[in-house]
Structures are given as structure tokens and as C-alpha cells.
């Protein structure tokens, strides 16, 4: 799977903000709309069909996209990415006093946090600022407001919507008047909204605003949520790529103090505009195929507009629009050409270029229509990120990794240099001094614990593995599996030119499967022509109800072929299947390793049990939930639920539901959970007395909906089994996309912490029952910990047992003979949701529910 595909499957979002002209205001619009919140535009979602012109109702609505939500309302609407104020720990008696574990050996660590050593102790006054007529550019809004030094004073903080002052203005509502360079008169209304004592949580927001100003003083520019240094670019000319180095920064209240969390970030830019790209594409494919090819290549990509350093997702192409078209701005009709000239001082050179459409997915003020599309000029849009083709290019990825995959020592050096630059910069120090803010100069030192190494149980034997490698692929060779079905009726499909590879695979499979205790009879070999219809016809003619397994040797990694195989064998004719690229089989020296992995996959897809670890809790059901956003099948969300069926966590129930975007994911998964409980009962003749649910795929700012909506839905599902059935329930939110990093001092140098490192002090949040685990080992760069937040818990399990169980489950993923980043059911749920969202687009056949057919 490519990195981009993996990212899509995790439902990642890019920062998206509005800025250029888009949809027209409702009648009473007076000001600019905020950027749409990050996380609302997920995945890349290519449009495969030929594009049409923008719908007529959209055309009528093309105007300044900033005009929808008043800045006055913006403060209250801004999404809280850090889930501040959600206090789940107070409801759990057993962790009120302490949430720290005890087992394992202690280890001294450093983390990418800097303590705030002093902060202001006076009342802050918060104001909302409104401009009439609306001003889209934040820089222009600041310039207009700061023309009034005598009224505001020199100590002030303004983020484009909210103004903080250390003193109170004379009246609650202050009217000021400014003039732009073009002589346009602007009325500014400043309204007092809040008086904040030093202990107020809003002060944290204020500290973040101040720190963003410090970053701007260091000549860094904001893109999405992070800041980057365009003046310090890293160039990779051979691939026409530029990397802007930057930092993620957040100031929050952690366990014992307010700290700045900062990590290194990189923005990959391509050295061409969308207009250049379109010109090259037209040259390659000709005028006739150009519209279709253009839509296929561009729709779903993220672009950067350098005039405001905002990123947008291309959702459509307005073939019937050029920069000469006009839109309503206030009462006037303004052409795009004039708009960019007056607003940003930019001249459009090609007035015949078509416009790009980016949908502003944000609700308007109450009672108003939601904003429509923002219209972008291809000439001003720079392509960002990497295409799938680039990601599959080993040389590009290797050259990128030199700059972006930093070792712990390099990362610490970069972070220390960043804080030193702030300390040395007189303007930055003056700004911090004005507000009484001061940061520690050293990275945070803290103590973690390394959990004991787990013993792997396989068949009648058990063995240890090398803790630092977190891998037991060598140790498991020649050891019989816990259980594996006999493979008697199976098929291998191959093309004529891959006949040798298919024969070699078969011979090697027989050699490696015998020591594993996986017995295989000779398969039926079926040759097919190398095109999709022939392969599908061969499947239809040869796969029957008695078929236990289908192996397909594919000559290329064409997605449509793979999709048609999976669609037929997961929906129409439910049969476990294994696809293998002929290229993978072409290296004789690697064939034994490849065949071993294929044999293991085939065994567990048929219900085999490979290995286990000791799980002391009895009558326990572990559930993993993840989701994926399918942009092909009508922008639906796919929720996947995978639940354990036995004591050893070696058999799993898997269910997938498809539902419309906007629907809560638990709506569909309620029935899946009931199905899992019934299946557990069928396996064990009893229901589980304890259920632990690991919920993955929760984006920034979504914690409230999990606590307020999903947990009650889960409890309702359990209650529907029977009113007297009340198992102990735990719900854990799993988060992989965190900027926290830990470093360990080992053998005199800074290294990654060993697998099994747990951190539950200092950098956790006081209002949550949370902890970090570094479960996996990495060969390059800095390891990323996984954050676990227990949001509901009636099980009464000690924090130590919760941490140990979570780490044990990271050993149980059968597609990798080693420890992974998340508990196995989360990764299973991710694989299932990804397969359905990428290839099947329909719910798999119920006859496959008890098999790991999606590995």
C-alpha cells in the first residue's frame, strides 16, 4: 500500500482555508467567513468521470467566499482541535487519585515540550472586531486596525477576528475609521465580549496567538495549522520539489504545568503552478482528451495559494469561467482580475484560463445558507504533496527522507535551535516581555517505564523475541501454528507470461507450509488472458461453493483488476482470496520469505490461528472500530467493527457498514456490535462479562461527539441484548497522529525509546485518563508514540493492567510478525474499512464475517 493510500485510509485531512472569491453572501452579509476547519475535507477523492461545467445555481452564487460568517461570530465557531474542556477523568473513581501504572523498568526520557516559566498575572480584555465593508486579507485587517495606536496602545494581540488588550477601552462598543491604500473607507467596530482572569482557559488561546506572532517575527508563514520558513527552503531540483521546513506548536495545560509542545514539520511544494501543469497535460494528451484527463489528475489534489499561504482542495473545474467573470462583492460586480489586483496586487497574465472550484464546507451564520465554492486562479495555485506515481518512485522518496526523516539527535538539535532563535531575537523577546511570557530553554526531562517483553505462544511452543527488533519472523520459522485449516480445494489464476512465477510460488508454498502445520493439496491451475473481463469470466467459471481459497498472480498493480477480483470474491461469491504481484515473485532469493508470508495470510484468511500472547482476563471481548471516507461511492463513510471471539484473541468477527456522509458512524455500527455479541455467544455459549472498545479514526476536535454520542449508543446496543445483561465497559480513543515525540539516552547518545515504553505523567492531560505507548520499532527517523485516552470505564481495571493489555494487543496483528502501532483490532478494522472504501464499495457478504478475509 502506498503512503498516500495509507494516509487516505486513515481519513487524514489537510488544512483548508478560504480566501479567494467563492460564493455570494446572503442579503445581510457583512463580513468574512472563517477558514473551514481542518479535518472537514478528507482524502483525495478523484473524480473519474468527464467533468461538466459548474452547475448553474453555483454560477449564480459565485462571489467572495469570505462573506458568509461574521468575524464577530467566528470566535465561537472556531473548532477546538485540542478538545479542551472535555473532562472525562472525573467520572472514573478508580483513576481520580492516580492514573499511573507501576510495572516495568524506569527509563529517563526527553520530550519535545518546553515549560512556560512565567506568564501574565493581570486581567485580559477580549474584543470582537468587525469590518465594513468586509476585508478578506488578514494582513490588511491588522494594518487597518493598527492605524489606531493612540486608542489601542502598543500592547495588543489580534488574530484577524479577536483582539486582546491588557486594558479596557472607554466604552463597550468602539467605532474607528480607517482608509486603505486605494482610498477605500473602512468602518471598524470593536465590541467587548469578555474579561479574562489569568486562570481562564481562554488565556491559553491567547498564549497561542502571541506565540504565532513570535513565529511571524521569525519570518515564518502559516500554512494550514503550522508555520513554515519559505526563506530557508530545502531544494530537490532533480525532482522539481521544494521543502519548506517548519514547526507545529501548541500551548496547553498538561499534567503539572502549561507547556509549549513543538515538533518539526515539512511542507512539500512542487515547483510548478496548476496552470503549468494544465499546459503540459494538454500538450501530452491533446485538446479532445484534455478535459477528462485534467479532471482525473487535478480533482482531489491540495494546492497552495502563495498570496495568502492557504491550502485548498480542488473539488471541480469551472470550464465555463475565466478571470474576466464577475461576482457580487457587497453591492458591486467585481471581476476576478480586478479582485486579485486590488486585494493582493497580483496581475493575471492569462485571462483565458479556466477557474478551479474548492467547496467551502462550513456552515454560515444561523439562518444563512452555507458558503458555496471558492474560485481559484490556476496561475496562482501551486501543487503540494506527492502524487501516487512519485510515492512509488524509490529515488524520490529516498531523497525526500534525507531531509524529512530526522533521527532523534537531529530532531532535538532542530527544536533546540528553534527555541534559541526565539531567545536571541530581540523583537521576539520584546513581544514576549510585553505580555510577561517566558519559556524554558531546555527540552522537558521525564521518566517513562519499559513494559516487560511478551512471550509469543505458537502451537505447543512459546518463545521470546529480541525486544529492540519488536519482530519474531525468524523465531517463528518451522514452528507449527496454533491451528490451521486443511487446504483441499483451491485455485491459482495466472497469465501465460507469469506461468513460471505461478509454478515457483506453488512449489515454495508446499515447502514452507509443511513446517507450519498448514497442509495443502495440489490446486487447480487456471490460465487467464491479461485483461479484466477475461479474469472475471475465469473466476465466474471456476470458483464454486466448495472453493476454500483463490490465489491470483497479477502481472501489474492495476487497481481496476484488483478491485474486480475483490468485489466478486467478497460480495458475489464469498471466498477468501490472495492477490500476488508477479514482480514480488521474480526474485528467487526472496521467494522463501515471500511464500512464508503468503502462506500465513492464506491460513488466517481461512480462519487459522497463527500465534497468541497470554491474556489473563477471562470472558473478555476486545472491539476495534475505525472509519474510512469513500469519495467514489457517493462520498459515503465506511465504519468497520472487528471483535474478538475467543480467550486467546485469535478469532475475530468483522463487520462493515456504509452510510451517508454526515451520519454518525455509530448509527450503523450499533447493529454490528449486536452481531458481534451474538457471534461471541455462539462461540462460547456465554456473553462476555467485560467489553473493551478501542475507537480509532477520531479526528482533532471530535472527542466530544465520541463521549456524548457514541458511548451512549454503545451502551444502548449492549442493553438491547437483554435488560439483565450489564457487562463492564471501557471505551478508549486511539490516536496515532500526534506531534509528541520521546527520546531516550542510550549508550551516550539520544535514541528512540525501546518498544514497550509507556509515558503516563507530565505530558498527559490532567482532565483525561490517558497515556502514551511506543509499541513499534523503526529503522529510520524518530518513532511516533500512540496516544490512548480512556473516555469511559466501568471495568475498574488498574491503569497498569489497562496499559499492559493494550501493549499485548499490539502483538496480535497477523499480517506482520512483530509489534504494530495500535491494538490489532484497530488495524484489522482499518484494513477492512480501507478494502471496502477503496475496492468493493459495498458491504461484504455475511458468510465472510468470521474470517480475516481482508488482510
Amino acid at each position: 500500500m502506498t503512503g498516500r493510500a495509507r494516509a487516505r485510509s486513515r481519513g487524514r485531512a489537510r488544512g483548508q482555508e478560504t480566501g479567494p472569491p467563492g460564493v455570494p453572501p446572503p442579503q445581510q452579509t457583512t463580513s468574512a467567513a472563517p477558514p473551514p476547519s481542518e479535518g472537514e475535507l478528507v482524502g483525495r477523492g478523484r473524480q473519474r468521470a468527464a467533468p461538466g461545467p459548474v452547475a448553474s445555481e453555483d454560477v449564480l452564487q459565485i462571489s467572495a467566499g469570505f462573506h458568509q460568517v461574521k468575524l464577530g461570530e467566528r470566535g465561537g465557531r472556531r473548532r477546538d482541535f485540542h478538545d479542551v474542556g472535555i473532562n472525562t477523568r472525573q467520572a472514573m473513581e478508580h483513576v481520580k487519585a492516580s492514573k499511573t501504572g507501576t510495572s516495568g523498568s524506569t527509563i529517563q526520557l526527553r520530550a519535545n515540550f518546553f515549560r512556560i516559566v512565567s506568564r501574565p498575572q493581570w486581567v485580559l480584555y477580549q474584543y470582537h472586531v468587525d469590518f465594513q465593508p468586509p476585508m478578506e486579507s488578514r494582513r490588511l485587517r491588522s494594518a487597518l486596525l493598527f492605524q489606531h495606536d493612540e486608542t489601542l496602545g502598543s500592547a495588543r494581540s489580534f488574530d484577524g477576528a479577536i483582539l486582546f488588550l491588557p486594558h479596557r477601552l472607554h466604552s463597550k462598543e468602539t467605532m474607528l475609521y480607517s482608509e486603505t491604500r486605494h482610498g477605500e473607507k473602512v468602518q471598524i467596530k470593536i465590541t467587548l465580549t469578555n474579561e479574562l482572569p489569568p486562570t481562564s482557559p481562554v488565556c491559553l488561546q491567547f498564549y497561542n496567538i502571541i506565540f504565532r506572532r513570535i513565529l511571524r517575527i521569525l519570518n515564518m508563514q502559516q500554512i494550514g495549522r503550522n508555520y513554515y520558513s519559505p526563506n530557508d527552503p530545502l531544494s530537490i531540483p532533480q525532482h522539481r520539489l521544494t521543502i519548506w521546513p517548519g514547526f507545529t506548536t501548541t500551548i496547553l495545560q498538561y499534567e503539572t504545568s502549561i507547556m509549549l509542545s513543538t515538533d518539526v514539520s515539512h511542507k512539500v511544494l512542487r515547483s510548478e503552478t496548476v496552470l503549468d501543469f494544465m499546459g503540459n497535460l494538454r500538450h501530452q494528451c491533446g485538446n479532445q482528451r484534455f478535459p477528462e484527463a485534467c479532471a482525473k489528475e487535478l480533482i482531489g489534489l491540495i494546492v497552495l495559494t502563495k498570496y495568502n499561504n492557504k491550502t485548498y482542495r480542488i473539488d471541480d473545474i469551472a470550464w465555463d469561467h475565466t478571470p474576466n467573470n464577475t461576482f457580487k462583492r457587497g453591492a458591486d460586480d467585481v471581476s476576478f482580475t480586478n479582485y486579485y489586483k486590488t486585494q493582493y496586487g497580483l496581475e493575471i497574465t492569462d485571462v483565458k484560463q479556466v477557474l478551479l472550484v474548492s467547496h467551502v464546507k462550513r456552515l454560515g451564520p444561523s439562518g444563512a445558507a452555507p458558503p458555496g465554492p471558492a474560485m481559484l486562479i490556476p496561475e496562482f495555485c501551486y501543487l503540494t504533496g506527492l502524487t501516487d506515481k512519485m510515492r512509488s518512485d524509490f529515488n524520490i522518496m529516498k531523497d525526500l527522507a534525507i531531509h524529512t526523516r530526522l533521527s532523534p539527535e537531529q530532531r532535538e538539535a532542530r527544536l533546540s535551535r528553534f527555541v534559541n532563535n526565539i531567545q536571541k531575537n530581540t523583537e521576539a523577546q520584546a513581544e514576549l516581555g510585553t505580555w510577561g511570557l517566558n519559556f524554558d530553554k531546555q527540552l522537558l526531562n521525564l521518566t517513562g517505564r519499559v513494559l516487560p517483553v511478551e512471550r509469543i505462544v505458537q502451537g505447543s511452543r512459546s518463545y521470546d523475541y529480541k525486544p529492540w527488533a519488536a519482530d519474531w519472523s525468524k523465531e517463528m520459522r518451522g514452528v507449527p501454528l496454533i491451528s490451521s485449516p486443511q487446504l483441499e480445494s483451491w485455485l491459482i489464476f495466472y497469465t501465460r507470461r507469469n506461468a513460471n512465477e505461478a509454478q515457483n510460488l506453488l512449489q515454495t508454498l508446499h515447502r514452507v507450509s509443511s513446517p507450519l502445520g498448514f497442509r495443502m493439496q495440489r490446486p487447480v491451475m487456471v490460465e487467464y488472458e491479461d485483461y479484466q473481463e477475461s479474469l472475471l469470466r475465469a473466476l465466474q467459471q471456476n470458483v464454486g461453493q466448495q472453493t476454500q481459497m483463490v490465489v491470483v498472480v497479477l502481472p501489474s498493480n492495476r487497481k481496476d483488476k484488483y478491485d474486480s477480483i475483490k468485489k466478486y470474491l467478497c460480495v458475489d461469491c464469498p471466498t477468501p482470496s490472495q492477490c500476488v504481484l508477479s514482480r514480488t515473485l521474480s526474485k528467487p532469493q526472496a521467494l522463501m520469505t515471500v511464500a512464508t508470508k503468503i502462506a500465513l495470510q492464506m491460513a488466517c484468511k481461512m480462519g487459522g490461528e497463527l500465534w497468541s500472547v497470554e491474556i489473563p482476563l477471562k470472558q473478555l471481548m476486545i472491539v476495534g472500530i475505525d472509519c474510512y471516507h469513500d469519495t467514489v461511492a457517493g462520498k459515503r463513510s465506511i465504519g468497520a467493527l472487528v471483535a474478538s471471539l475467543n480467550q486467546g484473541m485469535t478469532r475475530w468477527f468483522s463487520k462493515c457498514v456504509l452510510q451517508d456522509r454526515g451520519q454518525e458512524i455509530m448509527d450503523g455500527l450499533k447493529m454490528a456490535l449486536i452481531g458481534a455479541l451474538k457471534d461471541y455467544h455462539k462461540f462460547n455459549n456465554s456473553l462476555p462479562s467485560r467489553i473493551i472498545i478501542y475507537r480509532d479514526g477520531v479526528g482533532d476536535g471530535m472527542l466530544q461527539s465520541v463521549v456524548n454520542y457514541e458511548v451512549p449508543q454503545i451502551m444502548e446496543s449492549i442493553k438491547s441484548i437483554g435488560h439483565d445483561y450489564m457487562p463492564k465497559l471501557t471505551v478508549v480513543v486511539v490516536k496515532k497522529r500526534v506531534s509528541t515525540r520521546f527520546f531516550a539516552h542510550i549508550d551516550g547518545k539520544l535514541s528512540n525509546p525501546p518498544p514497550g515504553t509507556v509515558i503516563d505523567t507530565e505530558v498527559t492531560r490532567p482532565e483525561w485518563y490517558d497515556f502514551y505507548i511506543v509499541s513499534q520499532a523503526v529503522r529510520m527517523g524518530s518513532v511516533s508514540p500512540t496516544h490512548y485516552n480512556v473516555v469511559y470505564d466501568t471495568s475498574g481495571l488498574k491503569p497498569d493492567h489497562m496499559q499492559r493489555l493494550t501493549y499485548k494487543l499490539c502483538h496480535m496483528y497477523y499480517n506482520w510478525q512483530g509489534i504494530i502501532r495500535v491494538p490489532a483490532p484497530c488495524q484489522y478494522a482499518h484494513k477492512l474499512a480501507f478494502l471496502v472504501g477503496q475496492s468493493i464499495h459495498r458491504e461484504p457478504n455475511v458468510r465472510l464475517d468470521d474470517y480475516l478475509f481482508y488482510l
Side-chain angles (χ1 to χ4, degrees), residues 115-153:
R115 276 201 176 93
I116 290 187
V117 289
S118 70
R119 57 197 183 100
Q121 297 301 318
W122 61 77
V123 171
L124 267 179
Y125 296 91
Q126 180 181 340
Y127 294 87
H128 265 127
V129 185
D130 208 7
F131 293 81
Q132 194 62 264
M135 295 289 125
E136 283 83 350
S137 164
R138 187 166 71 182
R139 195 175 291 170
L140 180 57
R141 291 199 294 265
S142 299
L144 293 168
L145 181 65
F146 294 162
Q147 286 176 13
H148 303 278
D149 276 352
E150 70 289 346
T151 307
L152 303 177

Side-chain angles (χ1 to χ4, degrees), residues 151-165:
T151 307
L152 303 177
S154 58
R156 70 261 170 130
S157 173
F158 179 58
D159 74 341
I162 299 168
L163 173 70
F164 289 103
L165 296 174

Side-chain angles (χ1 to χ4, degrees), residues 107-113 263 406-413 415 443-446 740-746 749-753 782-783:
I107 183 171
Q108 294 307 307
L109 301 170
R110 281 192 192 175
N112 57 337
F113 290 78
D263 192 29
L406 304 180
S407 69
E409 287 187 322
Q410 290 171 317
R411 195 173 285 266
E412 191 211 30
L415 294 173
L443 284 173
L444 177 74
N445 289 304
L446 73 163
T740 306
R741 296 288 181 274
F742 299 105
F743 316 118
H745 264 293
I746 296 166
K749 67 169 191 172
L750 216 57
S751 310
N752 284 313
S782 305
V783 72

Side-chain angles (χ1 to χ4, degrees), residues 19 30-33 64 66-67 69 71 74 129-145 158 160-161 178-182 184-188 329 339 342-344:
T30 55
S31 189
F66 249 152
H67 291 178
V69 181
L71 284 175
R74 172 177 154 172
V129 185
D130 208 7
F131 293 81
Q132 194 62 264
M135 295 289 125
E136 283 83 350
S137 164
R138 187 166 71 182
R139 195 175 291 170
L140 180 57
R141 291 199 294 265
S142 299
L144 293 168
L145 181 65
F158 179 58
S178 295
E179 195 172 302
T180 68
R181 281 184 305 178
H182 303 287
E184 188 178 8
K185 300 270 193 297
V186 180
Q187 174 189 293
I188 305 170
R329 187 160 183 244
Y339 171 83
T342 56
Q343 202 71 29
Y344 298 106

Side-chain angles (χ1 to χ4, degrees), residues 704-766:
Q704 190 82 55
S705 90
V706 173
V707 174
N708 292 352
Y709 185 81
E710 292 189 14
V711 172
Q713 294 281 84
I714 290 165
M715 291 163 76
E716 208 176 285
S717 299
I718 293 167
K719 207 177 280 180
S720 69
I721 295 290
H723 285 294
D724 54 344
Y725 176 53
M726 286 187 289
K728 293 170 177 174
L729 175 67
T730 306
V731 180
V732 187
V733 170
V734 180
K735 207 165 183 190
K736 296 186 307 304
R737 297 204 56 184
V738 291
S739 58
T740 306
R741 296 288 181 274
F742 299 105
F743 316 118
H745 264 293
I746 296 166
D747 298 334
K749 67 169 191 172
L750 216 57
S751 310
N752 284 313
T757 301
V758 174
I759 300 93
D760 54 11
T761 59
E762 297 278 4
V763 295
T764 50
R765 302 270 283 271

Side-chain angles (χ1 to χ4, degrees), residues 276-296:
D276 298 334
F277 181 83
M278 290 169 90
N280 292 334
L281 195 64
R282 189 188 288 272
H283 184 69
Q284 284 168 26
C285 62
N287 288 342
Q288 196 173 349
R289 282 188 51 239
F290 173 67
E292 187 181 351
C294 195
K296 191 176 174 182

